[in-house]
Amino acid sequence: SSGTYVRTLVEELGEGLGTVATVSGLRRTAIGDYRVEDAVGGDVLRSWSSDDLLAAIRKLDAAPLDVHKDGI
């Protein structure tokens, strides 16, 4: 995954500088067409009916997910 690559890159950078380096935080903000800004929080999900939840899951299941489109 990209996260593993970033962590390795940082560790190698530290080695190259003769020290140690680590990533203290890493957050994926998008994958394909899915962005964190469009995410639905737990409070909202808990307020949905079972039918609403199933409809949302079916919509996600039917959506194409091209995770390489954005170089992720």
Side-chain angles (χ1 to χ4, degrees), residues 1-2 5-11 14-15 23 25 30 35 37 39 43-44 55 57-58 63 66-67 70:
S1 82
S2 297
Y5 173 75
V6 170
R7 289 181 191 94
T8 301
L9 182 64
V10 168
E11 290 171 1
E15 285 179 23
V23 176
R35 301 176 315 151
E37 295 87 11
D43 291 339
V44 173
I57 291 168
R58 287 186 183 115
D66 184 3
V67 296
D70 297 323

Side-chain angles (χ1 to χ4, degrees), residues 12-29:
E12 290 175 358
L13 179 63
E15 285 179 23
L17 294 171
T19 187
V20 295
T22 187
V23 176
S24 63
L26 182 63
R27 181 176 185 210
R28 183 180 300 267
T29 59

